[in-house]
Amino acid sequence: MLALLGAMALVLVAGAPWVLPAAAGGTNLESPRDVEVYIVDDSFILKWNRGSESLSNVTFSVDYQIPEMDDWTELPGCQYITSTQCDFSSLQLNVYDELKLRIRAEKGNNTSPWYEVDSFIPFHKAQIGPPEVHLEAEDKAIIINISPPGTKDGVMWAMDSSSFIYNLVIWKNSSPAEERTETVYPTDKIYKLSPETTYCLKVKARLRMQRKVGLYSPVYCINTTVENKLPPPENIQIDGNNQNYILKWDYKYENLTFQAQWLHAYLKKIPGKHADKWKQIPDCENVKTTQCVFPQSVFSRGIYFIRVQASNGNSTSLWSEEKKFDTEIQTIILPPVINLKPVNDSLRVYIGAPKESENKSVDEDYPLIYEIIFWENTSNIQNKIVEKKTDFTFRNLKPLTVYCVRARALIHYEKWNKSSGFSDTVCEKTKPGNTSKTLLIIAVICAVLLSIPVVVYVVKVVLRCVKYVFFPSSKPPSAVDECFSEHLLKNLLLSTSAEQIERCFIIENTNAIAAVEETNDVDEDYKKYNSQTSQDSGNYSNEEDNSGSGISEELLLQETL
Amino acid sequence: MTNRCILQMALLLCFCTVALSRNYNLLRSQLRSSNSACQNLLRQLNGTYCREDRMNFEVPEEIEQPQQLQKEDAVLVIYEMLRQTLGIFRRNFASTGWNETIVERLRAEVHLQMDRLETNVDEITEKENFTWENTPVPHVRKYYARIVQYLKAKKYSRCAWTTVQAEILRNFSFLTGLLDYLQN
């Protein structure tokens, strides 16, 4: 029994190593290593390395999964392959959806564990491939036409084809070290070249927002042609004036006719040939002068390119450089007016609006900044500063020196390089510095010194008034004091007049007095009247205005009696 | 002397603030004016409404309700919307019988708005820690990808274009909302 159990255990233990590898799917197969996804435009390539043992007859299979799927699916073109890479570009994927991949090695019935690649979004991982470039040579320019990276029906950049910015590097074949780098549109021209010279160039595409920089195209070389007899017009200017635009250009020769054409600016950002999209500007066909005038209604609001060509009947010149024309800023900016004011050792500058303004007042619509050139009259050194303010000061200047200023206005709106002409030069002499400072200090000190006594006096007066009004003295003057104490209580309320009344008593016979006493109880008024006439008749008849006081004195007398 | 200096500094600060805000307001008012022009042009494009071609393109929330967005993201969303609209109106609309001049003018106006925003967009994308994937732009692109796929699937038919025109017209009013949101 024990032996049987022991034998069973032995078998189990011995058998285990055989069982487990079978469940795992292979004894020695390692998963692929260094698995990487390479995406360039619409090309999807998965690369890997074999496991540590390079065994023959090992194949690899790849599965993929996208969000709509519940489970892994075999990746077409990547099943049982013997090489260490596979191309799965044919799979119609949504490049903005997350993609999962897994790979394993196989040999016969054995398989390695799956190696899962971190999930990724193809678009984010994709590299911009080289663009395709078509060239056409002129005498002093090369016309370039760039096709965006990827294929025409490609999916990867389908939504970005018009967002590509192209960096171009160009050099003369004879001197490769002297390179010129330019940012170009899909349809553009490289100017300022020499005729009959071999130029080579390469282009790469960039996506600004996604911060992707593409691979350079192969190098293309081309020869510029012999110099054309008729040069193209130069220095195209467009200015607005009332209801018209004036288009001007320069030309070396005379007795030629010119024509001008325009193109919507956005077309240059779109790949493809737009040669047929240029349109004639009305009133600018076969003009004999180096300018033409056309109504503003020709161009609705927008950005355009304008080009001019000369013709002498037999032959035509090549097209001029294409001038960008933004309808919103085509006005003349007039030069500003400057005023200088010397202040001690500084010079205060006032920048004023120009005297006349054109129909569209640029200043109201767009902020202007000013380029100011400033120098000492006797020196050649000019300082240039840019100011937003129209009122500022140059400080710490030499006294009694003449300084000159002139300025021009610039449109402060990013890439609109529109500026006015320079204003007239204005010069002013600075004031004597230190002397005036000293004088000023002395004057201030004197003023302060003088004002101290004045101030003290004024304060004193004010205090006195305040004291008088709000804190009167409780002790009355001495003259009042004498009379006040004796007569105040008696006379204050009752006496209405200060006039002294002589009190006279006329002594009559006793009968009159007795009669007065008898009638005492009967009638008070009568009694008063009698006593008054008996006693104060003299007073009564002489001074009528004292009657009131006389009566009141009597009343008092009677009360005391 | 010092007081005058301080006063001048204060004035400079005020002026700068005024100047800068005036500049941003200027941009916004330019864009709004161009936006209205676009809406007017779009309305001039007539079409027959086909009921069976109705489609819900699922406008992203960032476009409909920009309040949750950061100002920089709003600028990027506006730019992307304009760019995609320009792309759509470059496709084949021969079936519609629309006036080519009107469509051209519409493209010109949209392009003008893009041009005005370009410097701001460059500034934002050139910042050091800027990652495009963290902005709402991929989300907005997917929305426009649905519109383009719809047009392709319907083979640029007149009915499909009418549906798309209505959708874009609605987007322009969302654009106005986004522009308003940009105001500080």
Side-chain angles (χ1 to χ4, degrees):
Chain A
M1 192 66 163
L2 272 170
L4 194 62
L5 279 169
M8 274 177 70
L10 264 173
V11 167
L12 275 168
V13 168
W18 299 337
V19 170
L20 290 171
T27 37
N28 300 320
L29 270 183
E30 260 184 64
S31 307
R33 294 181 306 173
D34 309 323
V35 186
E36 292 278 345
V37 182
Y38 294 93
I39 307 177
V40 177
D41 296 337
D42 289 289
S43 153
F44 293 71
I45 295 174
L46 189 67
K47 285 186 184 173
W48 60 90
N49 286 330
R50 296 168 193 273
S52 52
E53 300 150 28
S54 59
L55 299 164
S56 56
N57 299 332
V58 176
T59 58
F60 303 93
S61 293
V62 186
D63 285 352
Y64 78 101
Q65 191 178 22
I66 49 178
E68 290 97 62
M69 297 156 124
D70 294 327
D71 206 353
W72 292 95
T73 311
E74 286 180 359
L75 189 61
C78 293
Q79 298 301 308
Y80 306 110
I81 48 174
T82 50
S83 60
T84 53
Q85 69 174 57
C86 88
D87 185 329
F88 57 101
S89 313
S90 54
L91 189 67
Q92 294 292 319
L93 285 169
N94 181 341
V95 297
Y96 304 106
D97 275 343
E98 223 173 64
L99 176 66
K100 281 190 198 170
L101 294 173
R102 67 179 187 178
I103 182 170
R104 71 176 177 190
E106 297 128 346
K107 186 175 178 183
N109 284 334
N110 295 333
T111 54
S112 73
W114 285 108
Y115 175 89
E116 225 175 282
V117 180
D118 293 333
S119 71
F120 61 94
I121 295 174
F123 183 82
H124 296 176
K125 220 173 167 57
Q127 157 102 65
I128 302 175
E132 206 179 302
V133 184
H134 295 278
L135 301 175
E136 201 183 311
E138 292 184 348
D139 57 350
K140 293 183 183 167
I142 296 174
I143 301 171
I144 54 170
N145 212 305
I146 306 174
S147 304
T151 54
K152 193 171 177 241
D153 299 321
V155 176
M156 189 61 73
W157 316 120
M159 298 194 78
D160 298 281
S161 56
S162 60
S163 312
F164 283 116
I165 311 168
Y166 298 98
N167 286 358
L168 176 138
V169 181
I170 186 167
W171 61 93
K172 278 186 193 168
N173 201 15
S174 52
S175 50
E178 290 166 22
E179 299 183 331
R180 210 169 92 191
T181 309
E182 277 186 34
T183 303
V184 295
Y185 291 121
T187 42
D188 215 329
K189 258 169 124 172
I190 316 289
Y191 295 103
K192 297 186 178 49
L193 303 176
S194 317
E196 295 178 277
T197 316
T198 308
Y199 284 95
C200 295
L201 53 88
K202 58 181 183 179
V203 183
K204 70 178 176 188
R206 267 195 314 130
L207 278 179
R208 199 201 282 114
M209 210 183 283
Q210 291 82 353
R211 291 205 171 170
K212 285 185 186 290
V213 180
L215 302 166
Y216 266 114
S217 70
V219 174
Y220 297 89
C221 291
I222 192 166
N223 293 335
T224 45
T225 62
V226 171
E227 192 168 345
N228 205 343
K229 281 181 214 147
L230 289 177
E234 284 176 340
N235 199 18
I236 298 181
Q237 302 284 337
I238 308 152
D239 292 312
N241 183 12
N242 293 330
Q243 300 297 315
N244 298 324
Y245 288 119
I246 305 171
L247 180 66
K248 290 183 206 169
W249 56 90
D250 296 336
Y251 203 72
K252 262 201 278 194
Y253 306 124
E254 295 185 1
N255 295 331
L256 282 124
T257 55
F258 303 92
Q259 62 161 337
Q261 292 184 340
W262 67 271
L263 178 80
H264 279 296
Y266 70 81
L267 285 170
K268 287 185 75 105
K269 292 189 184 168
I270 295 164
K273 290 204 187 260
H274 304 293
D276 54 339
K277 301 254 176 47
W278 285 92
K279 291 185 195 147
Q280 209 62 42
I281 299 179
D283 302 335
C284 289
E285 214 172 331
N286 291 329
V287 290
K288 294 203 166 58
T289 53
T290 55
Q291 71 166 51
C292 65
V293 180
F294 55 91
Q296 287 188 4
S297 53
V298 167
F299 291 108
S300 54
R301 180 168 59 187
I303 306 174
Y304 305 87
F305 281 100
I306 291 186
R307 65 182 188 180
V308 183
Q309 182 183 55
S311 161
N312 67 359
N314 288 335
S315 54
T316 56
S317 74
L318 293 165
W319 287 104
S320 67
E321 277 192 37
E322 288 153 13
K323 173 83 177 171
K324 194 168 186 186
F325 169 44
D326 189 328
T327 55
E328 292 211 292
I329 58 158
Q330 289 314 313
T331 51
I332 301 170
I333 313 176
L334 290 170
V337 172
I338 300 182
N339 271 316
L340 291 181
K341 191 176 164 190
V343 179
N344 298 332
D345 66 344
S346 315
L347 209 57
R348 195 157 171 195
V349 185
Y350 300 92
I351 301 180
K355 287 164 270 184
E356 319 151 355
S357 14
E358 292 288 325
N359 189 18
K360 279 188 225 167
S361 174
V362 174
D363 198 25
E364 289 166 7
D365 295 337
Y366 306 109
L368 290 173
I369 56 173
Y370 301 94
E371 188 184 280
I372 297 122
I373 302 188
F374 168 70
W375 67 96
E376 250 185 75
N377 200 17
T378 48
S379 120
N380 281 331
I381 306 165
Q382 295 191 338
N383 301 309
K384 199 194 282 189
I385 62 164
V386 175
E387 267 288 348
K388 267 195 190 129
K389 298 183 289 178
T390 52
D391 178 3
F392 58 93
T393 308
F394 287 116
R395 295 182 186 284
N396 299 324
L397 303 175
K398 296 182 203 163
L400 291 168
T401 315
V402 178
Y403 286 92
C404 296
V405 176
R406 66 182 189 141
R408 65 177 178 169
L410 310 168
I411 284 202
H412 179 225
Y413 200 65
E414 291 123 11
K415 38 192 178 154
W416 290 0
N417 289 329
K418 186 99 172 128
S419 64
S420 70
F422 271 105
S423 65
D424 295 330
T425 303
V426 179
C427 299
E428 272 287 347
K429 200 175 193 180
T430 47
K431 287 214 171 124
N434 288 334
T435 331
S436 66
K437 252 196 217 172
T438 324
L439 277 171
L440 187 72
I441 293 168
I442 292 170
V444 167
I445 292 171
C446 284
V448 167
L449 285 172
L450 279 172
S451 65
I452 290 171
V454 172
V455 166
V456 165
Y457 177 73
V458 167
V459 166
K460 252 186 136 171
V461 168
V462 167
L463 276 173
R464 212 189 294 165
C465 284
V466 166
K467 207 174 159 187
Y468 182 76
V469 172
F470 291 104
F471 308 106
S473 173
S474 51
K475 194 178 165 190
S478 53
V480 176
D481 204 19
E482 285 171 16
C483 297
F484 215 56
S485 51
E486 284 179 32
H487 298 294
L488 177 64
L489 290 170
K490 291 177 186 175
N491 297 331
L492 197 62
L493 292 173
L494 297 178
S495 66
T496 53
S497 169
E499 203 168 330
Q500 295 263 343
I501 299 166
E502 208 174 293
R503 296 162 61 86
C504 299
F505 290 90
I506 299 173
I507 300 173
E508 294 178 358
N509 55 21
T510 49
N511 290 333
I513 295 168
V516 169
E517 284 178 351
E518 276 172 26
T519 58
N520 219 353
D521 299 318
V522 175
D523 192 359
E524 279 190 1
D525 286 341
Y526 180 71
K527 190 172 48 175
K528 264 195 250 167
Y529 182 73
N530 278 337
S531 62
Q532 193 175 18
T533 48
S534 65
Q535 289 185 21
D536 291 345
S537 60
N539 276 346
Y540 193 74
S541 62
N542 286 337
E543 297 181 39
E544 284 180 9
D545 52 344
N546 277 339
S547 57
S549 58
I551 292 166
S552 57
E553 274 183 16
E554 277 308 308
L555 271 170
L556 198 59
L557 217 89
Q558 288 214 348
E559 277 177 18
T560 51
L561 280 171
Chain B
M1 285 301 175
T2 325
N3 283 339
R4 213 166 136 212
C5 195
I6 291 171
L7 178 67
Q8 285 208 328
M9 289 280 283
L11 279 171
L12 172 65
L13 214 66
C14 286
F15 189 91
C16 277
T17 323
V18 166
L20 286 169
S21 65
R22 188 183 161 201
N23 205 9
Y24 203 71
N25 283 336
L26 166 68
L27 172 70
R28 204 179 62 85
S29 66
Q30 282 182 317
L31 292 175
R32 283 206 70 185
S33 140
S34 189
N35 205 21
S36 308
C38 288
Q39 286 175 298
N40 288 335
L41 287 163
L42 262 175
R43 286 192 195 102
Q44 292 179 43
L45 301 174
N46 295 322
T48 27
Y49 175 63
C50 306
R51 212 164 157 215
E52 61 273 15
D53 285 327
R54 273 184 313 176
M55 177 73 173
N56 176 17
F57 296 107
E58 291 165 40
V59 181
E61 209 184 322
E62 291 91 346
I63 294 177
E64 267 187 309
Q65 287 170 4
Q67 289 80 11
Q68 303 120 29
L69 290 177
Q70 296 212 344
K71 293 274 170 27
E72 292 180 342
D73 284 346
V75 171
L76 294 177
V77 167
I78 294 170
Y79 188 79
E80 189 66 20
M81 286 175 74
L82 291 167
R83 195 173 74 80
Q84 298 291 347
T85 306
L86 184 58
I88 286 173
F89 279 97
R90 274 180 39 224
R91 294 177 182 269
N92 178 14
F93 58 85
S95 66
T96 58
W98 285 338
N99 186 340
E100 179 76 42
T101 318
I102 296 178
V103 179
E104 254 184 34
R105 280 190 59 192
L106 176 63
R107 287 192 210 126
E109 285 281 353
V110 171
H111 175 248
L112 185 68
Q113 290 186 54
M114 283 174 66
D115 183 82
R116 298 291 181 256
L117 277 172
E118 242 161 46
T119 316
N120 295 55
V121 170
D122 279 343
E123 263 172 31
I124 296 169
T125 56
E126 277 160 20
K127 280 192 182 160
E128 242 192 73
N129 48 2
F130 173 77
T131 37
W132 173 75
E133 296 87 1
N134 294 340
T135 67
V137 175
H139 207 193
V140 173
R141 276 160 63 104
K142 275 195 186 171
Y143 160 68
Y144 281 97
R146 289 195 281 276
I147 297 178
V148 172
Q149 265 169 320
Y150 166 84
L151 272 174
K152 278 184 180 166
K154 297 280 180 179
K155 294 186 174 40
Y156 300 97
S157 71
R158 194 169 179 192
C159 290
W161 270 113
T162 310
T163 312
V164 168
Q165 180 223 9
E167 185 77 10
I168 304 288
L169 187 58
R170 197 165 66 122
N171 284 355
F172 273 110
S173 54
F174 290 138
L175 262 172
T176 314
L178 276 157
L179 286 170
D180 283 341
Y181 172 69
L182 278 182
Q183 183 182 20
N184 292 321

